[in-house]
Amino acid sequence: MDSDEAIRQTEAILGNEHAQYLKNKLRGGKSNEDGSRYEDNFAVFKLAECIHQVISGEASPDLQVSCQVPCFVDDYMIYNPTKNSRESFQLKNSANVSWSTNKHPIEKDFMFHYQLDKAAGITDSKTILAVSSERTYRELDESIPEHISEHTQCVYFKDYPSVNQALLEGDELREALSKISSVDETDKLSHLHTVMKGVWSDYKGYFSDVGSLIEKIEAIKPKYLRSGEEPLVLNSEVEKILNEIDGFSYKILDNNLSFEYSCDKGNFEGVVDISSDEALTEFTNKVLENKPNTFKDLYSLGILL
């Protein structure tokens, strides 16, 4: 739906005054669209959540996402055709945010947007405000205007100076990317973020199904995304030995063992491919035969290379 169609639809449902209001809002929004870091990170974060829903079977591949589609709440949208539900997000990377002030009050935009969703037959419509200030989030979350409270939420999404900082601090962005990545390493997650942002930028302005976006990502970086298949299970004695090594942690992702070792000198990350029967057998036998007590002992076995 382009801007002209959105304005015509608003005029037909809400009247000329509100259609003119939307026209002015869209004109101002376009001039302020600068592809900000905050918006990009939020888009990748939500896309990662949607991809996880698809590969885990929680949602079908026709789950749809979009941003900057002409409407009252346009920063990010998720539409689930199966449930006929829509989540529409407005992003505010500022501590100075209010429900009712400014030229285009958020509460007014949310009310109009909800009315248009209902007129379009959307069964479950949610309008969601995402803010980067934790203090502002607490204030707004406790003061949602009553007339929009039925369909409105406020969420906190932190802004970071860089993607790497968000990933290193274990931010929710990292958690979302880790759930869909076949390798849980910071540099690989950062690269996946870059690929997803690039793919996403090509689809701004209209709805795209998540299944197609997954195909685009895999075409650029094969095997970067998890398959959704059940991961293999390590021998219980091997798990016990690994779990008792101080500073050592690991995950099984798509039959890869992704590990991290933390000590006073810093962190060390790596990935072990144990997807073949031979590799898994070798890994299992060496751990059981040597029973390493420290990371140095484990590393000396040559199975983490």
Side-chain angles (χ1 to χ4, degrees):
M1 179 169 61
D2 60 21
S3 299
D4 291 339
E5 184 179 350
I7 293 169
R8 285 195 297 270
Q9 184 184 70
T10 301
E11 183 174 11
I13 297 172
L14 300 179
N16 181 66
E17 178 183 351
H18 300 321
Q20 185 62 44
Y21 173 89
L22 176 60
K23 184 177 181 179
N24 294 336
K25 175 181 170 65
L26 293 176
R27 185 185 298 121
K30 186 173 183 180
S31 65
N32 293 326
E33 184 183 346
D34 57 3
S36 72
R37 173 189 64 236
Y38 187 69
E39 292 172 344
D40 287 341
N41 283 342
F42 187 86
V44 171
F45 168 61
K46 281 298 172 182
L47 178 56
E49 287 191 331
C50 289
I51 289 176
H52 180 257
Q53 291 178 37
V54 171
I55 64 178
S56 65
E58 296 176 27
S60 65
D62 63 356
L63 185 68
Q64 297 177 11
V65 292
S66 74
C67 72
Q68 305 304 331
V69 173
C71 54
F72 287 99
V73 184
D74 64 353
D75 283 334
Y76 200 89
M77 285 189 199
I78 303 172
Y79 174 61
N80 189 324
T82 304
K83 298 180 179 179
N84 191 27
S85 63
R86 179 177 293 166
E87 293 180 316
S88 303
F89 295 85
Q90 196 71 42
L91 310 183
K92 295 295 181 182
N93 187 17
S94 169
N96 185 24
V97 183
S98 165
W99 289 111
S100 57
T101 60
N102 298 321
K103 187 176 181 180
H104 300 289
I106 296 172
E107 65 172 321
K108 193 173 183 180
D109 289 342
F110 277 25
M111 179 181 67
F112 292 156
H113 191 90
Y114 178 75
Q115 290 173 350
L116 289 179
D117 268 0
K118 285 303 179 182
I122 301 297
T123 305
D124 183 13
S125 172
K126 292 286 189 297
T127 49
I128 304 168
L129 175 63
V131 296
S132 59
S133 164
E134 190 169 6
R135 176 184 61 80
T136 301
Y137 156 69
R138 290 194 299 266
E139 292 175 352
L140 294 177
D141 188 51
E142 295 175 355
S143 60
I144 298 175
E146 185 176 352
H147 65 284
I148 62 170
S149 61
E150 178 185 354
H151 53 83
T152 295
Q153 300 171 13
C154 185
V155 297
Y156 170 58
F157 184 75
K158 187 174 181 179
D159 181 35
Y160 280 96
S162 70
V163 173
N164 280 341
Q165 183 177 342
L167 297 178
L168 290 171
E169 293 188 15
D171 179 77
E172 59 184 338
L173 176 59
R174 176 176 185 127
E175 182 180 351
L177 289 171
S178 295
K179 287 182 178 180
I180 64 172
S181 175
S182 59
V183 179
D184 190 15
E185 287 183 333
T186 300
D187 61 334
K188 295 295 191 299
L189 295 179
S190 179
H191 199 173
L192 177 58
H193 179 285
T194 300
V195 172
M196 290 174 64
K197 184 174 71 172
V199 169
W200 172 251
S201 65
D202 291 337
Y203 289 85
K204 286 184 177 181
Y206 55 92
F207 279 97
S208 307
D209 65 89
V210 175
S212 295
L213 295 176
I214 290 175
E215 291 177 359
K216 294 288 185 181
I217 294 168
E218 290 180 332
I220 298 172
K221 281 297 177 182
K223 298 184 178 179
Y224 254 51
L225 295 179
R226 297 178 65 179
S227 65
E229 298 176 358
E230 286 294 323
L232 60 81
V233 178
L234 292 178
N235 175 285
S236 60
E237 185 62 24
V238 170
E239 288 186 334
K240 182 179 179 182
I241 293 171
L242 296 180
N243 290 337
E244 291 179 352
I245 296 177
D246 189 40
F248 182 77
S249 60
Y250 68 92
K251 295 179 182 179
I252 304 295
L253 300 173
D254 268 15
N255 298 337
N256 290 320
L257 185 143
S258 179
F259 69 87
E260 181 177 0
Y261 174 64
S262 301
C263 63
D264 295 338
K265 296 180 179 180
N267 295 341
F268 179 69
E269 297 179 331
V271 178
V272 182
D273 183 355
I274 51 177
S275 57
S276 68
D277 292 338
E278 294 80 5
L280 178 59
T281 299
E282 179 186 10
F283 185 91
T284 300
N285 289 341
K286 285 195 174 184
V287 172
L288 291 177
E289 290 169 3
N290 295 275
K291 294 182 171 55
N293 293 314
T294 66
F295 179 72
K296 183 178 180 180
D297 295 338
L298 178 63
Y299 191 81
S300 68
L301 299 180
I303 56 177
L304 298 183
L305 303 177

